[in-house]
Amino acid sequence: MIARSQNINTTITVPIVASVSQYWEGNDGPWSSFAIQVGNRPQDVRVLPSTASTSTWVVYDQGCPADAPSNCAESRGGIFNPDKSLTWVPNSIFEIGVKTNLDFEVFGDFGFDSVTLGWQGSGGPIVEHSIVAGIGDTHFSWLGVLGLNPRPTNFTSLPNSPQLSLIQTLKSQGSIPSVSWAYTAGAQYRLNGIFGSLVFGGFDTSRFEVPKGVSPDLTFPLYTDVERDLLVGISSIRSSNSTSSTSESKLLEDGIYALIDSTVPHLWLPESVCKAFEAAFGLSWNATTNLYILNSTQHAVLLRLNPSITITLSPDLPPSATDKAVSVTLPYSAFNLNLSWPHAENSVYYFPLRRAANETLYRLGRAFLQEAYLVADYERGNFSVWPCVWDSSTNKANVIPIRSVNDTSNDSGLGGTAGDSGKNGLGTGAIAGIAIGVAVAVFSIALATFFYTRKRRKNKKESIDLGVRTTSPTSAQTVTYHHHGKTGSLDELDSEAKHELESAGKHELESIGKHELAARMILEAPNDAEKKFEMDGQPNIIEMGVEPKIHEMDAQDHGPRIFVEPPTALEPGPGSILPSPVGMPKVGRKGR
């Protein structure tokens, strides 16, 4: 079931700990999948988190052609049939968004439907009108995908209407405390199998450690190229031993920058680095498959050698200080993976290393995340990477919320960086303040009603001073957003807003003065008006059209603004019919 950390106070939204399926599956390794439901008549599917995708991918029945194994549908995490969902809203065929980064052309049948986290009956949160793509490809991603990137998505079929991502909608509807997540892939070879961990709006301190000598405040800034936002500097790669030496070997001469991308299992590295791996471990590059396939002899040698590979990461190259770099060590078991259909007729061993043709392809894939814990905080524009910890406490979850930048409560024990586990709980002063705030809220609501009624009677156009902008329901305007020096605009039709109080923020009444409440302001547009989503009520904002309702985050005149990346633009597909997986480019067909 969906697990939530203990709700320590009614004014604090707790993170969501996603349900692992308790399956180890995949055709390129044993991966720990997660359970979701799609559609109003829920169809259970199992998916793998993608740190790069902005949407959810599910497998269509075209993904199990006639020559597929008999257990294809089950091994792919289950098949989704949109015809069985009354809430499925079709869109069109689009490239799923991996062509730019990996030069693979994979298409999906995009639409919108409800996505629920967890198995049926688990009580997980529901995201209505979520972006869902049905895939028939058999080579790029065997299981479906749960997109973790919060960027909105632009469809050419829906001009000027960026569609919100799943995680952004979770935040907008109050399901999680901030636009953030934490993920590690899990490791079947550790402690009789440790499943993956995925937390929305927080992180689990039991799954990682801050190495001695490393600053607990070490973070990486989100990169300005929004399609490579989780970019890290790799200052060194070392092996503990090799087939020709018992001493440490240097596998990387000069530092490189690489993207952390859980969508793929491999490490994509420069050819020179791959050749260093070849020399150290006796690997053979297969030019036909573009993979390192191992025969039984090579596999036996590596098992006996049992080398470990240490990858050192830093925000800058070279590292600005010794405490500004963190190392993650992977045992050979992390690379001891199998390939099966359609990559091979029978299961074969392979080493998850790929030759990258250029620096834009460098990446650390899912194999790396077996031993690394990744925490991404999109509101503060940074992320952190820590080595996983494997001991008796690993399965004893200790989930800490990451507070929103707009959370103005005084409790300093929640949120912040993942290097500092913090403290749970509110002080007595904060609790007392919340109690007083509730009383003031009741008074304020009554007072706000009075002024609102008076305003309607006088038919005035001026708005109540809420620290946000309200406009005429009939006026159209263009809103400009700024992102790392880039600007753009989105057209929207504003609507008259109703004002409701929840829990955690500010409410200002005309000339009465400011009433600091433990309340969060939510603005809802009328049902017959176009809806909008407004981020952070400052000059630098991003507004995007969505269907359900308008959620406005704690509009203030000061403080940090929420970091939201520009939309992902998806390219149209070849037509109204999903391409056959048989005729689609296979992994390894393009030269590297």
Side-chain angles (χ1 to χ4, degrees), residues 91-235:
N91 187 353
S92 188
I93 305 294
F94 291 91
E95 201 281 325
I96 63 174
V98 300
K99 182 179 180 181
T100 302
N101 276 340
L102 288 171
D103 201 26
F104 290 126
E105 200 168 49
V106 182
F107 294 93
D109 178 25
F110 278 82
F112 305 94
D113 212 332
S114 61
V115 173
T116 306
L117 299 178
W119 295 113
Q120 294 185 40
S122 65
I126 302 174
V127 174
E128 305 287 357
H129 198 75
S130 188
I131 305 170
V132 177
I135 59 173
D137 174 70
T138 59
H139 290 79
F140 181 72
S141 180
W142 188 245
L143 270 73
V145 152
L146 183 66
L148 301 183
N149 196 294
R151 293 195 312 272
T153 301
N154 268 333
F155 292 99
T156 55
S157 56
L158 300 170
N160 299 320
S161 182
Q163 303 297 304
L164 293 187
S165 62
L166 181 140
I167 189 170
Q168 186 68 72
T169 306
L170 284 173
K171 174 63 176 72
S172 302
Q173 66 190 26
S175 298
I176 55 177
S178 63
V179 184
S180 60
W181 50 260
Y183 171 63
T184 182
Q188 190 183 40
Y189 54 84
R190 293 285 193 179
L191 304 177
N192 296 318
I194 297 296
F195 291 119
S197 172
L198 176 60
V199 181
F200 292 97
F203 56 92
D204 185 352
T205 63
S206 72
R207 300 302 295 261
F208 69 93
E209 63 182 355
V210 179
K212 184 179 180 180
V214 178
S215 170
D217 297 324
L218 176 61
T219 60
F220 298 74
L222 290 173
Y223 189 49
T224 53
D225 181 346
V226 297
E227 293 190 344
R228 303 177 68 218
D229 50 6
L230 299 177
L231 198 72
V232 296
I234 303 178
S235 57

Side-chain angles (χ1 to χ4, degrees), residues 13-16 171 175-179 200-202 379 401-404:
T13 304
V14 295
I16 296 170
K171 174 63 176 72
S175 298
I176 55 177
S178 63
V179 184
F200 292 97
E379 296 194 16
I402 298 176
R403 296 195 314 192
S404 173

